[in-house]
Structures are given as C-alpha cells and as structure tokens.
Amino acid sequence: MRRIKLTIEFDGTHFAGLQTQAQGERTVQGELEAALAQIPGALPKIVACGRTDTGVHALAMPVHYDTQDPIPAAKIPFALNGLLPPDLRALSAEEVDPGFHARKSCFWREYRYRILQRTFPPALERNRVWWIPQALNLVPMRHALEDLVGLHDFGAFAIKEERSTLREVYRAHLEVRPTDSGREIWMEFIGSGFVRGQVRSMVGTLVEVGLGKRDSSSIAALLHSGNRSQAGPTAPPQGLYFVRAGYEPYGKH
Amino acid sequence: MRRIKLTIEFDGTHFAGLQTQAQGERTVQGELEAALAQIPGALPKIVACGRTDTGVHALAMPVHYDTQDPIPAAKIPFALNGLLPPDLRALSAEEVDPGFHARKSCFWREYRYRILQRTFPPALERNRVWWIPQALNLVPMRHALEDLVGLHDFGAFAIKEERSTLREVYRAHLEVRPTDSGREIWMEFIGSGFVRGQVRSMVGTLVEVGLGKRDSSSIAALLHSGNRSQAGPTAPPQGLYFVRAGYEPYGKH
C-alpha cells in the first residue's frame, strides 16, 4: 500500500461543499471517491487539506488516499481526469510517506476572496465573485486587514463553536485588479489554518469597514470580544477560493 | 417612439447563440425580447450589432430597440436586470437618433479569443477558454497575425458563403497572461466586421502555426486562395468573446 498526495481543482458552483455530509448531496469527496473506486487497488476514501462550503472553489486543494494500484504517480491525474466530471480536475499526484496527512501535515493554507465592483451584476462572473456596486474605501480596509495578521483567537469569526479557535494569520493582503467593466478587489489570506467560516466572516466585516459602517480600528476589540454577533455578515461563498497549501513552515517555500 | 441603444453582457454557455433561429431554442434575443415585452410601451424586437454562435460570450454587445415607455434611459438597465435571467445583463442604455442602427451604424467590432495552456483541462474556466496542453510557439503566430491585418477577402475563413467576404482588420494582437496554473494567450481582433466564423477560423489556423503544423508565411496565400478547406479548423466557441463595438471610425475613440 502506498499513499498518494493528489492536488485537485474544482468549481464549487454545483457541489454541496467538499466533504460528504448527508446522503444524496453531490460533493467533491463523493465524486472523487467514485472515480477512485474505478481504479483497481485504490481505496476510495480521501482526506482533504481543508473543508470548503457549498459554492466555494479550489484552485489547488491537496488530498491524500491509499492505493495498491501500479500506476506511476505522474500518470494518475490523466487516469482520474478520464473518470471525473468536468467541474473537478486532478492537477498533480505524487507518492508520499505513509505518515503524510493532507490535513494534519499542512503548515499553511492560502485563500483568496474576489469582490467585483461595478454598477450592474455580472453575467459571466456571477458564480465567481461577490458583486458589490457601492464604493469601498480601501484605505481603512487595508488598516483593518493589518490587525488580522498574527496569532489571535478568531472565535468572533467562527460560524460554529470549535474546540479551539486560536489560529495564526501570516499574511493578509488586498489588491485592486482592473477588469473590462470595472474593478475587482482581491483579498488574500495565508494562515496556519482557518476556523469554519473565518475567511468569509473576515471579508464580510472588512466590507463593512470599506462601506464606512464600521471603524477600521474596531477589529482588535472584535477579536478580543470573541463575539460572533459583533462581526460582520458572512460574505457569499462564490467569491471564495482555496488557492493552495504548504507542507513546510510558512516562509520556507 | 424613441430608439434605445442598449449594451448587454452574456455568458454564452447556455444560449443557442444570440439570434433567434428555430423555435424552442434558448437565445439571447429570445430572453431579451421576453423581458422587453414586460415593459409597457417597449417593442419586443431587438437588432444586435453582431451575431454570436452557441457558447460564444459577449462583454458589451450593443443592440437597439424602439419604445414608447417613459423610463429615463439611465434607469432602463435597472428595470431590465430585474426581468432578465442571471446569465444575461443590461449594462447601459441611452436614447439615440431614430436613424441609429446597432448593426449598420457600427464602424468596428472587437473580439477576444482566450487559450489556456496547462497540462490538465480546467475545472473553473472550462466554459471560458480553449484548453491547449501542447506548447505553442508564439513568434510565428505573431508573424501570421500581422498578415491578417488590412483589407482582405476573408472567404477562406468564412463558415458559409456570403455576398461579400471583403473585410478590414484594423488590429490583430496577441498577449500572454500568467494565470494561477499556467498561462493564457489572448488574441484580440478589431475590424470593420467579421464574416461568419472568421475569428474562430483565424484562431484555429493560427494555432496550427503555433503548433508547427503550418508555416507562418502561408497566411497571405491562404487569403488569396479564398479556399476554406485550406484554412485551419474552427476554434471552439467557449474561448470567444465579443468585447465591444464602436460607432465612430476606428482610431477616433
């Protein structure tokens, strides 16, 4: 038996998230395990680096599974892509140490959130961005972003209670990208990990800062309070992308 | 009665093209006219600047229609977007001279074609690009592009016979854009007009040049021959975008 680290890309629009939950819902895990079940020797059971909710996308999500199949690792994506649906793709595969664990061995994760600013809702990017027609003031948003960096209790941004909500954000960055019809604001977050709903709650809160509904200096107090009801709304899922993950301490890649 | 110039964006994936053809097919024209039919006073009959085939997208396609409704032009996109499906959006509207014609008054059209180069097919951009895993040599492609610029008989690139296939290409340009997982090649064409299938046939031919299957110097002879069977294959529709159109001579915008 050998362990394979597989990196996948998916369009989250028509998935009820990554992880298999209730019966009958279409999930990334369900589709990937159905494909693995067609490869003799592969155990149709995957472990993913992160969870993603319904509608959230992934550019390069690592997962692992065990197999006795004789396929050379570099050929696995070709085999899998012939079995996977078009909104889920294998990008690379490598054989790893049997102790490797896609979630537990991971040192850092990178997420991106895309906001589209223009007058009218987008037809082409409707499942890819959060459309916000109101002007956003980026200066206080950048200040607020800085206060999210570091080791904090992110309980105020958690969707539901978890054993520990202590996480470290290594980098939080905002950039503006011109588009054909307006501009996009990309927020990028790199951290040791993120509690459930953290990125979308942080983005919802930052948008309130950008709209002038919340002071940029309120983030520190919000983190300190640990009170979810004081954070902003959860940003919609279609603007969120799991970008990639690292298996060495952050900064060493 | 007043004439309205309306600019629309659409995701061509789930449309059988722009123009209404046979009964029962979902078209951009059909959806837009159904929305206009709900605005009292508006004639539910549009004329578009260009035709686009099944799967082809538009970022800013001008159309015109006549109406007796009293809605200020600037408010029309808000009204229409409440009536249109999410893959079709109104971006702007203005009242124009009754002699204005979205197709006949147009001086130039701009198209873009996106090719994605990476090893594996894309999940997220699967309906937005032509995925080509083989390396493309851009130097001869750029030379071939230059030979397409100017006043030519584009019969060799026409899908079917037309009264005249004489058109002028004002600009043909190729640029490389890095992406998260590879690179995209964007080809942009601005011309007086394009015969049916011209852009996709030109792209298919240019890709043969990039793959080394065709000499870059063969374009002039191909144009001269007017023989469709000597051109390359028609590039797939999902990589093609109608970008915008101009109602003043090219270069005066």
Side-chain angles (χ1 to χ4, degrees):
Chain A
M1 192 70 76
R2 57 194 184 130
R3 181 155 287 189
I4 301 293
K5 177 190 172 202
L6 181 76
T7 302
I8 58 171
E9 178 198 5
F10 58 83
D11 171 358
T13 309
H14 302 295
F15 287 109
L18 194 156
Q19 205 161 18
T20 301
Q21 317 259 3
Q23 279 288 329
E25 289 195 299
R26 183 175 186 257
T27 62
V28 173
Q29 184 179 357
E31 292 285 3
L32 186 50
E33 290 178 349
L36 287 172
Q38 296 180 61
I39 298 180
L43 297 189
K45 172 71 189 152
I46 64 135
V47 173
C49 176
R51 278 174 307 211
T52 60
D53 294 321
T54 304
V56 174
H57 316 293
L59 300 178
M61 166 75 77
V63 307
H64 79 251
Y65 68 95
D66 293 323
T67 186
Q68 288 182 306
D69 77 68
I71 308 171
K75 298 282 182 198
I76 290 173
F78 293 92
L80 278 173
N81 285 329
L83 302 168
L84 290 169
D87 52 354
L88 172 57
R89 289 290 166 217
L91 302 185
S92 63
E94 56 180 308
E95 197 171 330
V96 287
D97 186 273
F100 173 90
H101 191 282
R103 187 179 71 250
K104 294 177 186 166
S105 308
C106 178
F107 278 91
W108 55 269
R109 281 110 175 145
E110 179 176 340
Y111 279 91
R112 178 183 301 158
Y113 198 94
R114 288 171 56 185
I115 291 171
L116 174 64
Q117 296 227 272
R118 65 177 217 181
T119 309
F120 296 106
L124 274 155
E125 298 292 78
R126 66 192 185 285
N127 295 321
R128 300 286 183 268
V129 297
W130 182 12
W131 165 63
I132 301 181
Q134 297 90 342
L136 292 173
N137 189 345
L138 304 185
V139 175
M141 288 177 77
R142 286 198 164 102
H143 286 152
L145 267 177
E146 283 169 25
D147 285 342
L148 292 167
V149 176
L151 184 68
H152 301 290
D153 184 331
F154 285 97
F157 297 105
I159 281 181
K160 56 178 189 179
E161 282 187 31
E162 299 189 27
R163 244 179 310 172
S164 165
T165 47
L166 199 71
R167 298 287 188 283
E168 185 164 1
V169 171
Y170 299 122
R171 179 180 148 92
H173 179 76
L174 182 156
E175 70 177 62
V176 177
R177 298 172 71 102
T179 70
D180 287 288
S181 60
R183 67 174 188 177
E184 285 194 21
I185 294 165
W186 286 23
M187 285 185 246
E188 303 201 293
F189 300 92
I190 300 178
S192 59
F194 296 89
V195 301
R196 189 115 193 238
Q198 182 181 336
V199 179
R200 288 163 59 195
S201 306
M202 292 192 302
V203 169
T205 305
L206 290 163
V207 164
E208 287 193 336
V209 170
L211 293 170
K213 292 182 184 174
R214 175 188 294 269
D215 201 87
S216 66
S217 62
S218 66
I219 300 295
L222 178 60
L223 284 167
H224 189 72
S225 78
N227 186 344
R228 180 69 187 90
S229 68
Q230 289 179 34
T234 301
Q238 77 276 4
L240 183 60
Y241 298 75
F242 182 101
V243 176
R244 59 190 176 137
Y247 291 87
E248 288 183 76
Y250 180 67
K252 292 208 173 155
H253 67 295
Chain B
M1 193 69 75
R2 58 196 182 128
R3 182 155 286 189
I4 301 294
K5 177 190 172 201
L6 180 76
T7 302
I8 58 171
E9 178 199 6
F10 58 85
D11 170 359
T13 310
H14 302 295
F15 287 109
L18 194 156
Q19 205 162 19
T20 302
Q21 317 260 1
Q23 279 289 327
E25 288 194 299
R26 182 175 186 256
T27 62
V28 173
Q29 183 179 358
E31 292 284 3
L32 186 50
E33 291 178 349
L36 287 172
Q38 295 179 62
I39 297 181
L43 297 189
K45 173 69 191 153
I46 63 136
V47 173
C49 175
R51 277 174 308 211
T52 59
D53 293 322
T54 303
V56 175
H57 315 293
L59 300 179
M61 167 75 77
V63 308
H64 80 251
Y65 68 94
D66 294 322
T67 187
Q68 289 181 306
D69 77 67
I71 308 170
K75 298 283 182 197
I76 290 173
F78 292 93
L80 278 174
N81 284 329
L83 302 168
L84 290 169
D87 52 353
L88 172 57
R89 289 289 167 218
L91 302 184
S92 64
E94 58 180 306
E95 197 171 330
V96 287
D97 186 274
F100 174 90
H101 191 283
R103 186 178 72 252
K104 293 178 187 166
S105 308
C106 178
F107 278 91
W108 54 268
R109 282 107 174 147
E110 179 176 340
Y111 280 91
R112 177 183 301 158
Y113 198 94
R114 288 171 56 185
I115 291 171
L116 175 65
Q117 296 227 272
R118 65 176 216 182
T119 310
F120 296 106
L124 274 156
E125 299 291 79
R126 67 193 184 284
N127 295 320
R128 300 284 182 269
V129 297
W130 182 13
W131 166 64
I132 301 181
Q134 298 90 341
L136 292 173
N137 189 346
L138 304 186
V139 175
M141 287 177 77
R142 286 198 164 103
H143 286 152
L145 266 177
E146 283 169 25
D147 285 343
L148 293 168
V149 176
L151 184 69
H152 300 291
D153 184 331
F154 285 96
F157 296 104
I159 282 181
K160 56 180 191 179
E161 282 189 32
E162 300 189 28
R163 243 178 310 173
S164 165
T165 46
L166 199 70
R167 297 289 188 281
E168 185 164 3
V169 171
Y170 300 123
R171 179 181 148 91
H173 178 76
L174 182 155
E175 71 177 62
V176 177
R177 299 173 70 102
T179 70
D180 287 288
S181 60
R183 67 174 189 178
E184 285 194 20
I185 294 165
W186 286 24
M187 285 184 246
E188 303 200 294
F189 300 94
I190 300 177
S192 60
F194 295 89
V195 301
R196 188 115 195 239
Q198 182 181 337
V199 178
R200 289 163 59 195
S201 305
M202 293 193 301
V203 169
T205 306
L206 290 163
V207 164
E208 287 194 336
V209 170
L211 292 170
K213 293 182 181 173
R214 175 189 293 271
D215 202 87
S216 66
S217 62
S218 67
I219 300 294
L222 177 60
L223 284 167
H224 188 73
S225 78
N227 188 343
R228 179 69 187 92
S229 68
Q230 288 180 35
T234 302
Q238 75 276 7
L240 183 59
Y241 298 74
F242 181 101
V243 177
R244 59 190 176 136
Y247 290 88
E248 288 182 76
Y250 180 67
K252 293 209 174 157
H253 67 298

